[in-house]
Amino acid sequence: MLNPLHASAASEFAALQARGCAFLGTETAIMGGAMSWVSERHLVSAISNAGGFGVIACGAMPPELLEREIAATQALTRKPFGVNLITMHPKLDELIQVCLRAKVGHIVLAGGIPPGPAVRAVKDGGARLIAFAPALVLAKRLQKSGVDALVIEGAEAGGHIGPVSLTVLAQEILPHIRDIPVFVAGGLGRGEAILGYLEMGAAGAQLGTRFAASVESIAHENFKQAFIRANARDALPSIQLDQRFAVIPVRGLVNEGTKRFLAHQAEVVQKFQAGELDKTAAQLSIEHFWAGALRRAVIDGDVETGSVMAGQSVGMVTSVQSVADILAELHAQALAALVARAQRQ
Ligand SMILES: Cc1cc2nc3c(=O)[nH]c(=O)nc-3n(C[C@H](O)[C@H](O)[C@H](O)COP(=O)(O)O)c2cc1C
């Protein structure tokens, strides 16, 4: 039997999550952030079956593959899940139609401000649209354009990142966007932190790194062990060597690959200065360095030269846990914080 303090903490936490749960159609307002190569049928269905909201990462998949992945996920869960599409995918419109035909209820458009026609296609097709807001002005613009919910992802996150921390984004955006649910992401690894953001007005939270190292994740054992070994300070953004040649900021574990990337940039800049490469060729050579590198790390287990994308929350990955255990742990931590507060009062 629950003691009264615990029972009231549980109902308080449920109330704080209610809006996010209603929007997602879940028992808990925790989304599994889409992770290319990692967020496929097994992890996505495991998160949804455990009461959270799994999201398929479409990444560079062609429409036929996405269609198969959605069907395979639907075969593993009857619970709601979403699909994350990258806005610069050349077949974005077709991918949206694939999701709509398969009756996917929530589409996440990532990798930039979603183009108007894509927003309309999702809405006209009856799905709910989730987009990323990297600043308050953009959050307001997205809300006006008809987006149904926002994710604010801090620079602590794994993968492609913006420059601003979740601590600051949350203060900038949560007090002002009240009409649509806002989910927080980046660096979250414990329930107390999630509780804090819910109390600030967030509808829920999105986690990536912790789920990437779960039992159900298909990531290679080397990838999961690298997460267990790593501390927060090992998950660093990619470094741009020369201001003339842009490097897209991606947070991941420092390894031989990140060292080679610096050496590669230095070599490319030298060739450019010597007139051996023009500007476009030099930029492309820098951009191509990481092609296929995430797959190499996640699937092949090459954590030395591959791209081991990870958030600063990686320091809170201490073992390979099942998705259900991760969700139960986050829940228990949030409840313990509420109980401790009630005991102080
Ligand atoms: C290995 C990895 C791959 C990722 N790939 C994507 C992606 O393809 N699309 C996307 O929108 N976000 C991607 N992300 C970001 C996650 O969806 C999520 O927002 C982020 O991991 C949250 O921060 P956390 O890792 O600290 O929990 C990726 C993150 C990781 C760790």
Side-chain angles (χ1 to χ4, degrees), residues 237-272:
S238 43
I239 296 171
Q240 178 174 333
L241 201 64
D242 188 300
Q243 58 178 9
R244 288 168 297 182
F245 297 104
V247 166
I248 296 167
V250 171
R251 188 181 294 283
L253 299 185
V254 172
N255 62 4
E256 183 57 32
T258 57
K259 280 188 211 144
R260 287 189 195 169
F261 183 49
L262 278 180
H264 178 72
Q265 289 182 67
E267 196 184 309
V268 166
V269 170
Q270 208 176 13
K271 283 188 180 161
F272 169 71

Side-chain angles (χ1 to χ4, degrees), residues 33-36 84 110 132 153 156-159 186-187 206-209 309-311 313:
M35 296 177 278
S36 292
N84 175 302
F132 287 81
E153 188 189 57
E156 304 92 327
Q206 167 165 301
L207 278 67
T209 296
M309 292 183 187
S313 50

Side-chain angles (χ1 to χ4, degrees), residues 86-88 92 109-116 118-119 131-135 137-139 141-142 145 147 150:
I86 311 283
T87 51
M88 60 253 199
L92 179 63
L109 291 179
I113 298 301
V119 173
F132 287 81
V137 275
L138 293 167
R141 200 193 300 166
L142 286 165
S145 75
V147 164
L150 296 172

